[in-house]
Amino acid sequence: MSAASGRGARAFIDACSLEVSAKAMPALIAEAARIAPGTMISIPYLASEDDDARLAAARTVRALGLQPMPHLSARRIGSQAALERFIARAVGEAGVEQCLLIAGDLATPAGPFADSASLIETGLLERAGIKVVAVGGHPEGHPLMSDAERWQVLERKCQSIQARGMAPKIITQFAFDADIVLAWLDALRARGIGHPVLVGVPGPASVTRLLRYAAMCGVGASAAMLARYGISIGRLLGTAGPDVFVDHLVGGLSETHGPVSPHFFPFGGIAPSLDWLAQYRQRSVAGTRL
């Protein structure tokens, strides 16, 4: 690793964020001393957790000196009043300043919101004091939209967020192929979309667990993709970390890609992900001394 690439890798890793569910808050508390103050903690909207659990998680994250980013799942929100109540409590009780909007996985919406754009259009976010609104990016494509539709929707959402005085941010699903992510970033910036991007990175976990989450989340996991990630499809009993993926991603990033940082999904647990981050930082520092 060259000195320049070592510095780039360290800066990339130091800007990381983490995805932590409400039920994993005890593990986050146990490891909080190892996490840089102000790190963004994304709190997913899980069907098995209610608003009280998500709000308690946001309060915990804030109390630890970290930045909570709760998800809002449009199709699972029963009414505009419920949305307004949740946002007001998140801002008032946990100092929430940013959130991630997703459509959600229900075929039929539980209330008036069919997609994340409809949440933006309520005006509730900016009136409550939300400053940053994240939306999803899809380097591997979207199952329900063509490529042209996918770009149009992303552009419209970012423009709507900005028009309402908030800052857009784009968070991608995790991936196994850095070339696909880099190509998507090239296309994103070529379209003039310069907002910060958080690239989903799977934390170290057993190979079988990684494959299970890939199937659940619709992430491409062909034998060729896994080989580029460093996983042999014939050896599924071990664990895998994102070293190859992150090295390739960092090596392909340039100033033209603008602000890009890693967003870790700690599938194998928070402590192993933090262990990996510490080891990667050490390797990056060593690389700058070569």
Side-chain angles (χ1 to χ4, degrees), residues 138 141-157 191:
H138 303 91
H142 192 284
L144 301 178
M145 289 187 282
S146 68
D147 282 349
E149 290 170 331
R150 173 171 52 111
W151 288 119
Q152 290 167 3
V153 168
L154 180 59
E155 288 176 325
R156 283 200 300 268
K157 284 192 285 192
R191 298 186 75 90

Side-chain angles (χ1 to χ4, degrees), residues 18-32 41-44 49 53-62 64 66 68 270:
L18 295 167
E19 185 132 331
V20 182
S21 66
K23 66 181 180 183
M25 284 298 134
L28 182 69
I29 293 169
E31 301 294 338
I41 305 296
S42 180
I43 304 167
E49 298 170 352
R54 286 184 278 272
L55 288 164
R59 292 194 299 269
T60 296
V61 170
R62 175 61 67 190
L64 292 172
L66 308 172
I270 293 172

Side-chain angles (χ1 to χ4, degrees), residues 80-265:
Q80 181 155 325
L83 172 64
E84 186 170 11
R85 185 164 54 249
F86 180 86
I87 296 172
R89 288 188 63 190
V91 172
E93 298 174 16
V96 167
E97 297 181 342
Q98 49 187 317
C99 58
L100 169 64
L101 309 184
I102 60 173
D105 54 1
L106 289 183
T108 302
F113 307 113
D115 51 32
S116 53
S118 61
L119 298 178
I120 300 168
E121 291 163 3
T122 65
L124 292 174
L125 298 172
E126 67 267 29
R127 290 201 295 272
I130 297 295
K131 296 180 173 61
V132 177
V133 176
V135 293
H138 303 91
E140 294 184 352
H142 192 284
L144 301 178
M145 289 187 282
S146 68
D147 282 349
E149 290 170 331
R150 173 171 52 111
W151 288 119
Q152 290 167 3
V153 168
L154 180 59
E155 288 176 325
R156 283 200 300 268
K157 284 192 285 192
C158 289
Q159 290 166 359
S160 181
I161 291 165
Q162 278 191 301
R164 294 174 179 279
M166 300 176 290
K169 184 181 287 185
I170 301 167
I171 302 181
T172 77
Q173 183 56 277
F174 71 92
F176 293 121
D177 191 332
D179 284 332
I180 290 176
V181 176
L182 288 166
W184 178 82
L185 286 168
D186 287 338
L188 180 80
R189 299 318 191 198
R191 298 186 75 90
I193 304 174
H195 309 300
V197 174
L198 279 60
V199 173
V201 179
S206 70
V207 174
T208 52
R209 178 169 289 189
L210 290 174
L211 292 178
R212 184 166 69 249
Y213 276 106
M216 289 168 53
C217 300
V219 171
S222 67
M225 276 189 185
L226 293 172
R228 286 192 287 273
Y229 189 75
I231 295 174
S232 169
I233 198 68
R235 300 179 61 186
L236 301 182
L237 297 180
T239 61
D243 302 70
V244 174
F245 177 85
V246 172
D247 282 347
H248 195 140
L249 187 63
V250 171
L253 289 174
S254 68
E255 291 184 2
T256 61
H257 290 115
V260 180
S261 59
H263 181 65
F264 280 86
F265 294 80

